[in-house]
Amino acid sequence: MGRWYTQCAGNLPCGLLEAVPFVFVAFIIANIFGAIWLLLRENARNVENIGNNKGNKQIPMNDNNINEIFLSTREALKTILPQASNKDIEKYEEQLSKVNNFDPVLIIIANQNWINQNTYVNYQAVMYSFATNNLQNNRRRDEDSLSIFHFPNLTELYTVRGNIRMQYPNAFFDRNAQSQQEPIGTAWILTNVAVHKSDYAEDDSFFVI
Ligand SMILES: *[C@@H]1O[C@H](CO)[C@@H](O)[C@H](O)[C@H]1NC(C)=O
C-alpha cells in the first residue's frame, strides 16, 4: 500500500506505467552523456586541425580556409567606405556582426553630385525608403544608419530596389534620358561568410535604369 504503482488502475497495463519514469531517467542520462560526447569530439577535431595546419596537409573547408580566402569584415568596410571614421567603421562592424552568414547586406555610398542637385533632405528620404520599404510596423533594416541595409535574401533586396525605382526614378541614372541624371550613389553587396569575415562586390548597375 502507498507505493506509486499500486495506484495503477483501469485498462492501462501496469507494466507500462512502471516503465515511464525509468524511460524518462534514462533519456536524461543519455542526453548528458550525448552532450559530453559532442564536447569531446569537438575538442578532438580542433586538435586535429591544428595538427593538420602544421603538417601542411590537405584540410577540409573550415574557418581556417575562410581566413585565407576572405578579408576581415573590417577591411571590407574600409575598402567600401574609405571616408568613414574608425568610429563609424566600428559601429558598422558591430551592425554586421548581428547579420546571419550569407544574408545579403546592401551598402550605399552617397554621390555628392546627386546631393548637390537634389538636396541632402531628398537623399535621406530615398535612403529612408531603402530602410523601410516592404517592412511593416515601423520596422527598419538599417539600424538607423541610412547606409547599411540588411535583407533576408537577394530576391527581397532587388524587389525593394524595383519599388524605389518606381517611387524615386530620379535617384537612378538613365542612359537614354534627354537630360541625364546622376545616380544617387554606388551600391555594394556584402555577405558575411564567417565571424568577422566578409565577401563583397560593387553592383555597378544597381542605380542604372
Ligand atoms: C525572401 O524573403 C522574403 C521576405 O522575408 C520572403 O517573403 C521570401 O519568401 C524570401 N524568398 C526566398 C527566395 O527565400
Side-chain angles (χ1 to χ4, degrees):
M1 208 187 123
R3 285 201 296 175
W4 64 271
Y5 53 81
T6 58
Q7 305 295 321
C8 179
N11 294 330
L12 273 176
C14 288
L16 180 65
L17 276 189
E18 273 179 66
V20 167
F22 172 74
V23 168
F24 187 61
V25 169
F27 178 68
I28 289 175
I29 290 173
N31 268 327
I32 291 168
F33 276 100
I36 292 171
W37 163 243
L38 281 177
L39 272 174
L40 289 175
R41 205 174 56 170
E42 195 52 39
N43 271 344
R45 193 181 289 158
N46 288 340
V47 169
E48 202 177 281
N49 278 340
I50 292 165
N52 275 346
N53 280 346
K54 277 191 189 137
N56 233 356
K57 272 186 260 166
Q58 269 231 315
I59 46 173
M61 192 66 184
N62 58 22
D63 278 358
N64 293 328
N65 298 56
I66 282 171
N67 281 340
E68 285 161 22
I69 295 169
F70 295 104
L71 284 182
S72 74
T73 300
R74 177 175 292 246
E75 285 171 282
L77 284 168
K78 281 184 172 169
T79 307
I80 298 170
L81 299 150
Q83 316 284 346
S85 67
N86 279 342
K87 204 167 149 234
D88 280 340
I89 295 281
E90 249 166 54
K91 197 177 71 194
Y92 295 147
E93 203 184 4
E94 160 78 14
Q95 186 183 344
L96 287 177
S97 72
K98 297 175 204 155
V99 171
N100 289 337
N101 285 355
F102 304 110
D103 278 5
V105 174
L106 169 69
I107 303 180
I108 297 175
I109 317 303
N111 174 1
Q112 193 57 46
N113 292 338
W114 193 95
I115 293 175
N116 293 344
Q117 289 172 12
N118 297 274
T119 76
Y120 187 56
V121 170
N122 284 328
Y123 175 81
Q124 286 180 303
V126 178
M127 293 305 121
Y128 181 77
S129 239
F130 272 104
T132 56
N133 185 271
N134 252 7
L135 290 177
Q136 271 147 27
N137 306 324
N138 299 322
R139 283 176 55 216
R140 296 180 66 142
R141 56 171 68 85
D142 71 330
E143 289 208 357
D144 298 326
S145 67
L146 288 180
S147 172
I148 297 194
F149 310 91
H150 170 203
F151 292 87
N153 56 53
L154 279 172
T155 308
E156 187 71 0
L157 190 159
Y158 285 102
T159 300
V160 166
R161 170 185 177 266
N163 293 345
I164 287 166
R165 202 172 59 177
M166 297 221 273
Q167 213 178 339
Y168 298 103
N170 73 335
F172 292 76
F173 171 75
D174 182 351
R175 63 178 103 243
N176 299 315
Q178 286 280 310
S179 58
Q180 288 192 334
Q181 162 72 40
E182 292 272 339
I184 195 168
T186 45
W188 296 72
I189 314 288
L190 178 145
T191 47
N192 289 337
V193 294
V195 180
H196 302 308
K197 290 282 162 183
S198 296
D199 189 19
Y200 63 95
E202 186 181 348
D203 179 346
D204 59 9
S205 54
F206 193 88
F207 285 117
V208 177
I209 288 183

